């Protein structure tokens, strides 16, 4: 097995690490304290660079798929590049990473279920994703927001909360039901451009972490969008098996986004470990990986355990993304890497705060901020418990109701 990244992704790592160190890290404390409503102006130039790079990778992958370019046996494409990039940018600052325009969870939904024409029209626009509702958190099938067809328009009514980048984005991918009585089979995703009449951002949340990124509440009151704004197939499946498959298509969005969210945990944990080890070196504590286990201090044992947890999570994330690029079913692996990385980053950042004592807890260093930022990574895009349920269901071959 070759566990090394290909050269073009190593080059991407080097480029983004430099930008994170020189461009993002110095802004971390400023925008955490400000908790800005508007986009930090310093992020504009990078967003253009990221958009251009993503467009270039997408064009390369499309050329391979259409036979216009030599197709390699193993593809390292959009998903692997996304997780590598997300990890490096979160090493700089996870909250500023989320705040960057052109990096929206809604873009993954467009990529997963949209038609080629829809991807051409909307794929490059900054898109948020609106799923969570006041009465619907981890159970996406319990969505009550509705979409009713009226002539050539869909009329959307409902309320969405905790929409990441919901205030600053250019468009929102909204999950809504065509018929709540049919449950998850009738759930579809709709693209709603910002500024559409009937769509109102009613609140911006104040949060424990990720404070540079906006999190919005959005209300849809007879919000009308064209019939063509429904992503994917507009038909409601007739049979139980077909309905299950249809909802699986909607949920396919998460197979792409969960590795990317897990990568946020990878970058944040690496930042905490690097800061901690640098602080220890300043105080004369050098880590010696070649020493016998019995001769290691308790502090060294703790750090080595954290490094092992980090490495296990990192490899799971890379595998899930690689599987997506190679069109292999990765739903179980996407949930595995999200569960592992979410728990790992919480453990690593809090332990680094503990190891560094006063410096870890104070604002002198970024460790306390990274610990606050890390908590949401274990919650959003499916909680730890939901990921474990998905993995158990697939490993044991049982439904969710059978596992209760």
């Amino acid at each position: 097995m070759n566990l090394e990244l290909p050269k073009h992704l190593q080059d991407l790592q080097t480029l983004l690490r430099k930008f994170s160190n020189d461009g993002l890290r110095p802004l971390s404390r400023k925008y955490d304290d400000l908790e800005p409503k508007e986009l930090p102006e310093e992020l504009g130039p990078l967003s253009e660079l990221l958009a251009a790079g993503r467009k270039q990778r997408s064009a390369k992958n499309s050329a391979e798929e259409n036979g216009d370019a030599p197709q390699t046996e193993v593809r390292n494409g959009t998903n692997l590049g996304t997780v590598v990039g997300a990890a490096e940018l979160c090493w700089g600052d996870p909250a500023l990473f989320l705040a960057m325009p052109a990096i929206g969870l809604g873009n993954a939904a467009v990529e997963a279920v949209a038609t080629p024409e829809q991807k051409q029209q909307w794929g490059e626009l900054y898109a948020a994703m609106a799923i969570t509702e006041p009465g619907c958190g981890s159970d996406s099938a319990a969505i009550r927001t509705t979409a009713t067809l009226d002539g050539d328009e869909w009329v959307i009514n409902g309320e969405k909360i905790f929409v990441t980048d919901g205030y600053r984005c250019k468009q929102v991918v909204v999950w809504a039901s065509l018929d709540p009585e049919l449950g998850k089979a009738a759930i579809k995703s709709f693209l709603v451009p910002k500024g559409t009449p009937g769509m109102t951002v009613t609140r911006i949340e104040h949060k424990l972490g990720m404070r540079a990124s906006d999190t919005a509440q959005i209300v849809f009151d007879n919000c009308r969008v064209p019939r063509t704004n429904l992503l994917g197939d507009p038909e409601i499946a007739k049979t139980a098996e077909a309905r299950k498959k249809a909802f699986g298509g909607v949920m396919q969005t998460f197979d792409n986004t969960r590795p990317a969210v897990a990568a946020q945990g990878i970058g944040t944990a690496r930042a905490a470990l690097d800061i901690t080890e640098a602080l220890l070196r300043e105080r004369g504590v050098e880590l010696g990986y070649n020493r016998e286990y019995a001769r290691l201090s308790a502090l060294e044992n703790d750090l080595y355990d954290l490094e092992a947890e980090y490495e296990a999570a990192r490899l799971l994330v890379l595998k899930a993304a690689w599987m997506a690029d190679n069109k292999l079913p990765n739903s179980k692996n996407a949930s595995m890497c999200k569960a592992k990385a979410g728990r790992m980053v919480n453990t690593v950042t809090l332990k680094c705060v503990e190891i560094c004592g006063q410096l870890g807890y104070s604002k002198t260093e970024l460790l306390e901020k990274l610990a606050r930022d890390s908590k949401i990574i274990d919650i959003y895009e499916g909680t730890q418990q939901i990921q474990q349920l998905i993995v158990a269901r697939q490993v044991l071959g049982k439904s969710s109701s059978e596992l209760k």
Side-chain angles (χ1 to χ4, degrees):
M1 288 188 299
N2 181 7
L3 299 180
E4 295 298 319
L5 290 173
K7 184 178 184 304
H8 72 280
L9 290 182
Q10 292 181 25
D11 292 341
L12 178 66
Q13 274 187 315
T14 301
L15 174 66
L16 294 181
R17 175 61 65 94
K18 177 173 175 52
F19 179 88
S20 290
N21 187 65
D22 299 340
L24 295 185
R25 190 69 68 83
L27 302 174
S28 293
R29 185 61 67 191
K30 172 184 176 181
Y31 285 109
D32 183 62
D33 290 340
L34 288 177
E35 197 172 4
K37 187 176 181 181
E38 301 296 338
L39 178 72
E41 61 181 18
E42 294 94 335
L43 297 184
L46 178 66
S47 68
E48 296 176 5
L49 174 65
L50 293 176
R54 186 178 65 183
K55 193 170 184 179
Q56 185 178 24
R57 289 195 301 272
S58 296
K60 178 176 178 289
N61 291 338
S62 297
E64 280 192 359
E65 291 171 358
N66 295 332
D68 298 329
Q71 187 165 6
T72 58
E73 182 179 352
V74 177
R75 295 179 66 224
N76 298 305
T78 303
N79 289 280
L80 197 59
T82 295
V83 299
V84 169
E88 288 305 319
L89 291 169
C90 286
W91 181 90
D93 186 85
L96 289 172
F97 165 75
L98 276 187
M100 290 178 188
I103 302 179
L105 292 175
N107 293 100
V110 174
E111 183 66 28
V113 299
T115 65
E117 294 76 19
Q118 290 171 331
K119 291 179 183 178
Q120 179 76 20
Q121 183 177 358
W122 299 313
E124 299 302 320
L125 295 178
Y126 184 24
M129 188 146 64
I131 301 175
T132 305
E133 300 179 0
C136 162
S138 296
D139 184 8
S140 299
I143 283 171
R144 308 313 293 175
T145 296
T146 60
T148 306
L149 190 59
D150 182 17
D152 288 330
E153 294 181 318
W154 292 102
V155 183
I156 301 175
N157 284 283
E159 179 184 356
K160 297 293 184 178
I161 58 175
F162 302 132
V163 182
T164 300
D165 301 320
Y167 179 80
R168 300 174 188 156
C169 67
K170 301 296 184 184
Q171 57 192 358
V172 180
V173 174
V174 182
W175 284 31
S177 176
L178 304 188
D179 185 349
E181 297 301 318
L182 293 179
K184 61 186 181 183
I187 292 175
K188 304 291 182 180
S189 51
F190 300 81
L191 195 138
V192 183
K194 289 294 290 295
T196 300
M199 174 186 177
T200 307
V201 175
T202 54
R203 187 174 72 232
I204 304 295
E205 303 290 349
H206 297 285
K207 310 184 296 294
L208 170 73
M210 299 292 192
R211 291 161 58 87
S213 167
D214 75 271
T215 303
Q217 177 185 31
I218 303 177
V219 171
F220 299 89
D221 183 10
N222 291 322
C223 178
R224 290 176 172 268
V225 296
R227 188 170 187 162
T228 53
N229 282 36
L230 185 149
L231 299 179
D233 187 357
E235 297 298 321
I236 299 177
K238 299 294 189 293
T239 66
E241 184 61 31
R243 288 173 182 173
K244 180 179 178 182
K245 185 177 180 180
F247 187 64
V250 175
M251 294 296 287
Q252 183 185 352
T253 297
F254 291 124
D255 297 343
N256 290 338
T257 59
R258 281 173 177 154
V261 172
Q264 296 174 25
I266 300 303
T268 304
R270 185 71 262 160
L273 287 166
D274 288 349
I275 291 171
T276 299
E277 291 171 10
L279 290 173
L280 290 174
R281 280 195 300 273
E282 289 176 6
R283 285 150 183 79
V285 179
E286 289 287 346
L287 302 181
Y289 291 94
N290 59 343
R291 290 201 293 272
E292 297 176 2
Y293 182 79
R295 298 181 60 190
L296 297 177
S297 67
L299 184 148
E300 287 173 311
N301 274 317
D302 283 345
L303 282 169
Y304 296 160
D305 285 344
L306 296 180
E307 289 281 0
E309 290 294 308
Y310 162 82
E311 187 64 15
R314 186 183 74 88
L315 292 174
L316 281 171
V317 170
L318 292 177
K319 181 178 180 181
W322 176 88
M323 291 176 71
D325 282 337
N326 286 275
K327 301 191 181 305
L328 299 173
N330 77 329
S331 180
K332 179 181 72 174
N333 298 80
S335 287
M336 287 173 64
C337 77
K338 170 62 169 62
K340 178 67 175 179
R343 180 166 291 175
M344 178 276 299
V345 69
N346 288 179
T347 300
V348 166
T349 53
L350 286 173
K351 191 65 178 180
C352 287
V353 168
E354 177 186 328
I355 288 172
C356 293
Q358 179 182 347
L359 283 178
Y361 196 69
S362 73
K363 287 189 173 184
T364 304
E365 301 292 337
L366 289 174
L367 290 174
E368 60 83 25
K369 178 189 181 300
L370 294 175
R372 287 188 286 108
D373 288 344
S374 76
K375 185 56 188 173
I376 192 61
I377 298 174
D378 196 35
I379 297 173
Y380 65 8
E381 209 73 6
T383 64
Q384 177 73 215
Q385 294 77 11
I386 289 297
Q387 305 308 327
Q388 291 175 343
L389 179 64
I390 293 170
V391 173
R393 193 170 61 211
Q394 296 205 30
V395 169
L396 300 175
K398 296 182 179 293
S399 66
S400 298
S401 59
E402 290 174 317
L403 290 172
K404 291 181 179 177

